[in-house]
Amino acid sequence: MLTSLLIPLSRAIDTLNEKIASVVSWALLAAVVICAGNALIRYVFHTSSNAWLEIQWYLYGAMFMLASAYTLKRDEHVRIDVIVGHFSKRTQVWIDLFGYLLFLLPVSLLILWYGIPFARISIESAEMSSNAGGLIVWPAKLLVPLAFALLVLQGVSEIIKRIAFLAGRIDASSFSKQVVTPQDEIDAIKAANKIT
């Protein structure tokens, strides 16, 4: 009964992190364009600014931190599949639950707890970079509590999915990494190139 109420919550969290990851994926393109533009300006006009370097760092930071919850959702985080892969799916799910409850959630909540005042102080003081021509610092510091809040939410979603699996309410495919076969990759390349 409880799992049937929590599964929609899990799906909503998954959707939120998918949408955030989709938006944040554009940060990579923006960072590459800024990096190339900065290099071009530096070599052609022999001038540059620390602001250009810092905005690249901010974009890379946003991309990695805000997409970490999506990485967890896709089951793409680092794990020791060599050992765990030999266990049954139920045992693997129990190991995941153990890891989420004893490691992921406590550490993420601790970082979130300390990250909120870390960002708040920076916002209230309008903290600026110590580099000449640098940017305001608080957007980068705000990424810490925001990223870990999303990670906590995704951790809750993953726990719900594992419990629902153990209760027989969902299939493991709803949270397991989808293995891409070589044929899948060939089909994707053909589709991208419109080859029949």
Side-chain angles (χ1 to χ4, degrees), residues 65-104:
M65 293 192 72
L66 298 178
S68 63
Y70 178 69
T71 303
L72 179 62
K73 184 237 177 247
R74 289 184 45 97
D75 198 28
E76 295 286 339
H77 53 284
V78 176
R79 60 179 356 166
I80 308 172
D81 287 335
V82 174
I83 297 168
V84 176
H86 294 293
F87 298 129
S88 70
K89 190 62 180 175
R90 286 188 71 81
T91 303
Q92 291 176 22
V93 167
W94 279 109
I95 291 169
D96 284 348
L97 274 173
F98 176 80
Y100 294 148
L101 292 170
L102 259 50
F103 299 106
L104 176 74

Side-chain angles (χ1 to χ4, degrees), residues 26-179:
W26 288 98
L28 177 61
L29 176 62
V32 169
V33 168
I34 290 169
C35 180
N38 186 30
L40 185 65
I41 289 169
R42 189 171 54 245
Y43 290 113
V44 172
F45 299 108
H46 305 289
T47 186
S48 185
S49 168
N50 285 327
W52 290 111
L53 296 173
E54 289 181 9
I55 194 67
Q56 291 172 60
W57 299 338
Y58 288 11
L59 289 169
Y60 286 126
M63 182 178 56
F64 286 106
M65 293 192 72
L66 298 178
S68 63
Y70 178 69
T71 303
L72 179 62
K73 184 237 177 247
R74 289 184 45 97
D75 198 28
E76 295 286 339
H77 53 284
V78 176
R79 60 179 356 166
I80 308 172
D81 287 335
V82 174
I83 297 168
V84 176
H86 294 293
F87 298 129
S88 70
K89 190 62 180 175
R90 286 188 71 81
T91 303
Q92 291 176 22
V93 167
W94 279 109
I95 291 169
D96 284 348
L97 274 173
F98 176 80
Y100 294 148
L101 292 170
L102 259 50
F103 299 106
L104 176 74
L105 285 184
V107 171
S108 296
L109 285 168
L110 185 67
I111 295 171
L112 177 60
W113 176 261
Y114 285 105
I116 291 170
F118 174 73
R120 183 181 47 77
I121 291 167
S122 182
I123 292 168
E124 289 172 354
S125 66
E127 185 178 2
M128 293 293 295
S129 170
S130 59
N131 296 320
L135 301 174
I136 54 175
V137 175
W138 67 262
K141 289 188 174 183
L142 186 60
L143 288 173
V144 174
L146 186 56
F148 280 93
L150 292 171
L151 196 56
V152 166
L153 284 174
Q154 192 61 47
V156 169
S157 174
E158 297 306 313
I159 289 168
I160 292 168
K161 288 186 268 189
R162 294 332 187 263
I163 291 171
F165 170 78
L166 291 172
R169 305 280 300 161
I170 63 170
D171 187 62
S173 63
S174 62
F175 58 81
S176 295
K177 182 182 346 184
Q178 303 302 316
V179 178

